[in-house]
Amino acid sequence: MEKSAKLGTNKTGVDTSPIHSKEMASGAKQYTPATGREQDLNAMRRAAIEDAERLGSVPIPGTAKGMLKSMMEKFTGNQPAIFVNKLGERLAFERAGTRVYEAMILKAEVANAQGELPFQIPIDRLQHFHREEGEHFQLLIDCMEKLGVDPTAQTPDADVSALAGSGMMKVISDPRTTFPQCMEAMLGLELTDNAAWELLVTLAEDLGQDDMARQFKKALSEEETHVREIREWYEKCVRSQASGATH
Amino acid sequence: MSIKLFDSKGIPLEKQKFSLKELTPEPISKLDDDAYTRVRVILMNGIEQQANRFQHMAAQFNKDLREPLARIRRTEHHQQTMVNWLLGADHSPLETTIGYEQVAIEVTAAIAQQEPDPYLSQVYRFGLLEDFDHMYRYSALMDRVEGKDANNILQSYTDVIPGRPTSEEHRHPEDDLRDHYDRKAAAPISKMNALTIMSGEYQTRDYYMNIGPTFTDPVARALYAEIASIEEQHVTQYGSIIDPDETWMEKWLLYEANEAYNYYSCMESETNPRVRAIWERFLEYELGHLHTVAELFKQHERRDPAEILPENLPDPIAYQSQREFVRKTLEREVELRANGPKFVDKAQEAQRSLDYRTHLNSEGSPSETVAAGYQWQPGTELNQRFARAS
């Protein structure tokens, strides 16, 4: 079964039906009055942004004691709440990332079996990354519990981060997408993840959480490997397809 | 090919079976399939949805019919599932919306032309110009908020130009009610046309009500809320052209005949062989339903179904670009308004509708805002803007 993108009967562009398209374009000019301004739309959007309430709040710790209590006493302002929000975001992202790698491993197994690419995708590396995503998830559970924060709660940044990643997850779970298409989505997720771990290390250091910062640095180092290898495979996938198409 | 309704027995109900795997067929290609394949998929989902809705209501009012209704309805439900799952997940909700409006325009225009009753034809043309405007507004939204070209979905079959402005479509409920056809005098095709268009509009209303709140952009949320309100008016309009004195059994017969007619129309024009096979199969299923219902009709009403149904299915609905007809209608009838069941010039519109509209629009009009100064260009309006700048 041919799985890579190829030349075919794509009907989405105007060149597919030049007569219809010409009529459509001339009709748009002839029948559309040139009134109003596009800026009206942004005025409506601006007003909505100005009036909007937020998505929700960072959960209040169930047991405000231990590390979080001392952190809240030591640091004024929102710093501890932001840290909790970001810990919750990372936790949710790593949990989802574990599932994403499961979907990627399946895709890779089928791609290898069907010879979608002129080389074998290293499943063992994907399985390794999958395991690390799960370990990072567990690390964050432990960190939140130490702080007395409920690791099952969905923080606002966890919510938004899942929304941002939802398109990439759709790409990976669609049976019709090719392995390179999935790799591009994966690269987007890993690049975001990488930057987020860097920030989490800094936030932990800012709050004097040296143990956490050290553990986060280890996770960051592993995530850097994910990004590097995913990027290399992605490029190799696309370039091998391109060279295959021209020979 | 002509289908003789009473000679074609179709597939008996007891042989109409599905596995769960069959309910989720391989989707059509958004990129490579013809836009009319998507149009047919969306319409048939609406036809099945309305059949299901009608049959549930019928069961609430007719104890004796509950068992056969339940049996047929289960098959209809699975037919709807199989049809609707043909839509690929790479369609964004807004892309599917463009598909829904393409259905409303292309199918309503085809039906307005085949409708023998001049008043009903006028009703369809009136609604057509409103859905036509929705296409323009949603295309502007797609271009300006998502940075996409609606014509990737339309494939140049359907114009993106203003119709009767959506902001002026808001009417008092009394001005959405039309005169109904006479069950004893109307042609069978008139009755079936009414069911087709009402079904399409009803699913559009429900679709917008479901997906509208899933948008994050405030203009998108507002536009869906506004256009959903017009779709509710359209369901009111098209529901009101149906004779309320038809019996439940009479209506059920018509629904089944209309489903058969629509699958037949789809089958005759389908270009995707795999989808065509589904239309063929479901035509046979609907003929099976029709014959079951025809027997019930004889039992319960002691009447001949031939009093209600035509001998042959009418000529199929034309699935081809209706650009010329739509533009002519636009030029002649864009200024028409409704006053009760009558269509009048803008100047004679009822005060109640003017008052209703003024209040509804009093805090802004999303449909005007989203499309202010919008003119469709191949490749989006940004294409034009940067061409000018360079």
Side-chain angles (χ1 to χ4, degrees):
Chain A
M1 193 187 297
E2 177 57 71
K3 286 289 178 96
S4 62
K6 58 178 193 233
L7 297 177
T9 55
N10 185 307
K11 293 186 173 65
T12 57
V14 288
D15 288 349
T16 306
S17 44
I19 298 171
H20 276 309
S21 299
K22 200 176 160 190
E23 285 178 15
M24 190 167 170
S26 63
K29 283 196 180 113
Q30 185 187 340
Y31 289 89
T32 311
T35 55
R37 304 171 314 135
E38 188 186 344
Q39 287 80 352
D40 294 355
L41 181 139
N42 278 336
M44 186 173 168
R45 294 164 102 184
R46 177 184 293 276
I49 294 166
E50 287 167 353
D51 293 346
E53 293 182 9
R54 294 296 164 231
L55 289 173
S57 57
V58 177
I60 297 168
T63 50
K65 58 186 180 186
M67 288 171 74
L68 188 70
K69 196 180 175 197
S70 58
M71 197 192 291
M72 287 170 89
E73 284 163 3
K74 191 172 171 189
F75 295 92
T76 53
N78 287 330
Q79 225 172 336
I82 288 168
F83 188 52
V84 169
N85 194 6
K86 286 294 173 193
L87 283 175
E89 175 193 317
R90 227 50 272 116
L91 179 148
F93 197 98
E94 298 296 319
R95 183 174 57 199
T98 309
R99 296 301 187 187
V100 169
Y101 269 104
E102 288 168 10
M104 281 302 288
I105 290 166
L106 272 179
K107 279 269 185 168
E109 285 172 350
V110 176
N112 281 350
Q114 294 188 336
E116 182 184 332
L117 297 162
F119 61 92
Q120 291 283 296
I121 300 141
I123 305 279
D124 59 328
R125 292 301 291 159
L126 287 174
Q127 285 166 337
H128 179 71
F129 294 170
H130 168 249
R131 195 167 50 252
E132 286 180 338
E133 296 287 327
E135 287 166 3
H136 298 167
F137 165 54
Q138 193 58 53
L139 165 66
L140 288 154
I141 291 178
D142 295 345
C143 290
M144 288 183 83
E145 284 178 343
K146 269 185 203 155
L147 293 175
V149 178
D150 181 359
T152 67
Q154 188 175 36
T155 68
D157 284 8
D159 185 27
V160 170
S161 168
L163 189 63
S166 60
M168 297 187 206
M169 290 184 76
K170 278 188 84 169
V171 169
I172 293 165
S173 51
D174 191 329
R176 299 170 303 165
T177 51
T178 64
F179 193 74
Q181 286 166 343
C182 294
M183 286 301 271
E184 184 174 357
M186 201 69 229
L187 180 58
L189 289 169
E190 286 290 16
L191 284 166
T192 303
D193 200 18
N194 209 255
W197 276 107
E198 279 181 14
L199 178 60
L200 205 58
V201 169
T202 307
L203 290 175
E205 287 173 345
D206 288 350
L207 287 165
Q209 298 297 317
D210 297 339
D211 270 2
M212 282 192 201
R214 188 179 42 75
Q215 289 173 301
F216 294 167
K217 275 182 187 165
K218 179 174 178 289
L220 171 61
S221 157
E222 289 164 353
E223 293 289 355
E224 282 168 349
T225 307
H226 296 189
V227 170
R228 192 180 62 251
E229 292 194 26
I230 293 283
R231 181 178 226 146
E232 283 168 9
W233 297 339
Y234 170 56
E235 289 176 8
K236 191 175 169 189
C237 285
V238 173
R239 297 188 72 204
S240 70
Q241 282 190 317
S243 61
T246 53
H247 286 100
Chain B
M1 185 177 104
S2 159
I3 304 281
K4 284 191 177 300
L5 267 185
F6 297 104
D7 295 347
S8 312
K9 301 284 182 201
I11 294 174
L13 190 56
E14 59 275 14
K15 291 192 176 165
Q16 299 183 7
K17 291 180 181 172
F18 296 86
S19 68
L20 289 174
K21 186 171 188 305
E22 277 184 300
L23 297 185
T24 57
E26 183 73 14
I28 60 169
S29 169
K30 182 179 94 175
L31 309 178
D32 291 0
D33 270 299
D34 191 84
Y36 280 109
T37 294
R38 177 175 37 243
V39 163
R40 286 180 283 265
V41 167
I42 292 171
L43 178 68
M44 292 319 298
N45 179 62
I47 296 282
E48 288 292 356
Q49 191 175 57
Q50 177 57 20
N52 176 278
R53 194 182 283 120
F54 165 77
Q55 289 169 19
H56 274 296
M57 289 308 296
Q60 296 299 305
F61 287 85
N62 298 278
K63 185 172 184 298
D64 291 350
L65 296 176
R66 284 186 174 181
E67 188 269 332
L69 278 164
R71 291 175 61 210
I72 290 182
R73 201 170 54 227
R74 185 65 49 83
T75 304
E76 309 272 27
H77 173 85
H78 288 151
Q79 287 175 252
Q80 185 192 345
T81 312
M82 194 168 164
V83 169
N84 203 29
W85 263 242
L86 283 168
L87 284 183
D90 50 336
H91 287 88
S92 72
L94 185 48
E95 286 175 325
T96 303
T97 297
I98 296 294
Y100 269 60
E101 293 298 344
Q102 189 168 33
V103 171
I105 294 163
E106 298 297 326
V107 178
T108 309
I111 279 187
Q113 292 168 87
Q114 72 177 32
E115 173 54 53
D117 181 306
Y119 175 76
L120 295 176
S121 179
Q122 175 67 84
V123 172
Y124 296 127
R125 295 197 305 276
F126 188 75
L128 166 67
L129 292 187
E130 302 195 332
D131 286 320
F132 189 63
D133 195 72
H134 301 168
M135 175 69 83
Y136 172 69
R137 311 287 157 180
Y138 279 130
S139 297
L141 179 76
M142 179 179 261
D143 189 335
R144 291 175 164 181
V145 174
E146 294 194 354
K148 287 176 163 177
D149 183 354
N151 196 43
N152 289 162
I153 297 295
L154 299 173
Q155 298 178 4
S156 300
Y157 290 125
T158 310
D159 278 335
V160 178
I161 48 185
R164 178 173 305 114
T166 298
S167 61
E168 294 183 37
E169 294 169 8
H170 302 293
R171 285 179 291 275
H172 189 278
E174 278 182 48
D175 294 320
D176 286 319
L177 292 171
R178 307 285 165 253
D179 293 333
H180 62 77
Y181 63 70
D182 177 351
R183 61 191 269 264
K184 291 180 182 157
I189 186 66
S190 293
K191 299 176 183 179
M192 295 200 280
N193 284 342
L195 292 181
T196 297
I197 299 301
M198 182 181 67
S199 302
E201 294 293 310
Y202 213 148
Q203 76 154 344
T204 305
R205 176 211 174 267
D206 285 1
Y207 183 66
Y208 295 167
M209 291 299 285
N210 284 323
I211 64 152
T214 69
F215 283 84
T216 50
D217 184 86
V219 181
R221 292 172 72 83
L223 185 65
Y224 273 92
E226 180 178 3
I227 295 183
S229 177
I230 304 296
E231 301 303 347
E232 166 59 21
Q233 292 183 202
H234 285 182
V235 182
T236 300
Q237 163 170 289
Y238 294 123
S240 71
I241 60 178
I242 295 170
D243 191 332
D245 292 329
E246 286 168 342
T247 66
W248 282 101
M249 282 304 313
E250 208 171 325
K251 284 185 189 293
W252 194 6
L253 259 186
L254 285 165
Y255 268 106
E256 297 299 345
N258 190 50
E259 287 179 83
Y261 171 56
N262 270 284
Y263 281 121
Y264 164 60
S265 297
C266 290
M267 188 184 89
E268 287 292 288
S269 54
E270 186 55 64
T271 49
N272 179 326
R274 190 168 58 80
V275 178
R276 184 184 154 94
I278 294 174
W279 305 145
E280 285 172 347
R281 173 179 168 183
F282 287 173
L283 168 61
E284 293 299 312
Y285 279 22
E286 294 302 341
L287 290 169
H289 299 172
L290 182 68
H291 283 277
T292 304
V293 178
E295 289 308 310
L296 288 168
F297 184 78
K298 288 179 200 166
Q299 265 177 45
H300 286 263
E301 301 218 347
R302 306 278 170 213
R303 291 161 68 195
D304 184 352
E307 287 174 30
I308 313 290
L309 302 176
E311 188 182 345
N312 294 312
L313 279 182
D315 289 341
I317 295 168
Y319 286 97
Q320 61 195 31
S321 177
Q322 303 291 343
R323 189 189 322 279
E324 197 182 336
F325 175 77
V326 176
R327 284 192 191 175
K328 271 188 195 159
T329 306
L330 183 66
E331 284 166 9
R332 291 173 188 161
E333 301 184 9
V334 72
E335 298 296 328
L336 281 188
R337 299 291 182 270
N339 188 332
K342 293 190 172 60
F343 297 105
V344 298
D345 186 73
K346 205 172 176 177
Q348 273 96 50
E349 198 171 11
Q351 189 59 41
R352 57 182 174 247
S353 273
L354 295 173
D355 293 344
Y356 171 88
R357 184 178 308 143
T358 301
H359 180 74
L360 208 60
N361 286 325
S362 61
E363 293 188 85
S365 165
S367 60
E368 289 297 316
T369 300
V370 75
Y374 184 69
Q375 186 180 89
W376 177 80
Q377 292 283 323
T380 78
E381 68 180 356
L382 291 181
N383 200 358
Q384 183 199 38
R385 184 177 307 166
F386 287 93
R388 274 184 190 158
S390 60

